[in-house]
Amino acid sequence: MIVIIDNGHGVNTAGKCSPDKRLYEWKWAREVAQLIEDKLKAHGIKAVRIVTEDTDISLKERCQRVNALCAQHGTSNCVLVSVHINAAGADGQWHNATGWSGWVAPNASSNSKRFAQLLYAEAEKAKLQGNRSVPPYKYWVGNFAIVRDTKCPAVLTENLFQDNKAEVDYLLSAEGKATIAKLHVEGILNYIKSTGK
């Protein structure tokens, strides 16, 4: 099994930051993606980040990179997680929405849905579920290209909110980064166990 990690967005992607500019999604996502990769490798799991550049890589290119790995290793031997931070508004203001969510495509496979549920279970253990209504099946559905146009099981995670002051503090803390990396790693390990690979 190979775990494919997408850390989305780049230094030149406009607007992906906290209102006070302390938190930049591109930088945070790369740091956490690296933590996830390192922790998976420590467990003996093959993991690869598809975006090592700091600049924005188009969704089309990112999907092509994922699908090339699927072709090389076999789709059933790959799983993708795309790491992001959510935002309640696009107005540069602080908001009150909180919490973690895992997203699958409208055409998601049962494996993608199971993977999202396993990730959510770990977020719940970490008490990161937030103040929004959680769907009964414990995943959200969104028409995001990175999970829609890739061939392997795939989940996009929105790791708290970059326009919530308390969550920005947590996201920037060593504890927050470690906790979010850990929930991904545990969810991935549980998914791999569930596949019998």
Side-chain angles (χ1 to χ4, degrees):
M1 181 68 75
I2 177 169
V3 178
I4 305 166
I5 306 164
D6 170 49
N7 38 245
H9 307 308
V11 64
N12 52 328
T13 308
K16 303 290 186 181
C17 62
S18 60
D20 60 6
K21 306 288 193 278
R22 286 190 302 136
L23 174 68
Y24 285 87
E25 182 176 355
W26 74 272
K27 186 175 181 184
W28 182 91
R30 277 159 179 73
E31 189 175 344
V32 170
Q34 185 66 63
L35 285 172
I36 295 167
E37 180 184 1
D38 293 345
K39 289 174 184 295
L40 286 170
K41 287 179 174 175
H43 282 281
I45 304 295
K46 184 169 184 178
V48 60
R49 286 185 303 126
I50 59 160
V51 178
T52 55
E53 303 92 337
D54 284 345
T55 52
D56 190 35
I57 303 301
S58 73
L59 278 163
K60 182 179 179 184
E61 171 64 20
R62 282 152 55 198
C63 291
Q64 286 174 346
R65 292 180 185 185
V66 172
N67 290 335
L69 287 165
C70 291
Q72 181 183 350
H73 298 280
T75 299
S76 65
N77 296 319
C78 298
V79 63
L80 166 69
V81 63
S82 185
V83 179
H84 296 262
I85 308 174
N86 215 335
D91 54 6
Q93 303 296 312
W94 294 108
H95 295 274
N96 294 318
T98 65
W100 189 97
S101 54
W103 295 75
V104 300
N107 61 345
S109 66
S110 58
N111 283 340
S112 294
K113 293 172 183 176
R114 183 170 77 253
F115 181 32
Q117 290 168 334
L118 291 167
L119 286 165
Y120 185 82
E122 295 302 319
E124 203 168 32
K125 284 182 195 173
K127 303 190 183 330
L128 298 179
Q129 59 266 46
N131 64 4
R132 294 170 304 152
S133 176
V134 178
Y137 32 84
K138 306 294 176 74
Y139 57 79
W140 286 255
V141 178
N143 197 30
F144 301 120
I146 195 67
V147 291
R148 182 193 67 220
D149 298 338
T150 47
K151 295 179 179 176
C152 60
V155 175
L156 182 148
T157 64
E158 293 280 16
N159 297 279
L160 312 184
F161 282 80
Q162 65 189 15
D163 50 12
N164 177 295
K165 281 184 180 177
E167 293 203 335
V168 166
D169 289 341
Y170 184 74
L171 287 165
L172 288 169
S173 71
E175 177 195 358
K177 291 171 189 172
T179 298
I180 288 170
K182 181 176 185 286
L183 83 82
H184 283 82
V185 171
E186 293 300 321
I188 289 163
L189 292 174
N190 289 335
Y191 172 78
I192 293 170
K193 284 178 198 169
S194 78
T195 67
K197 292 190 180 286

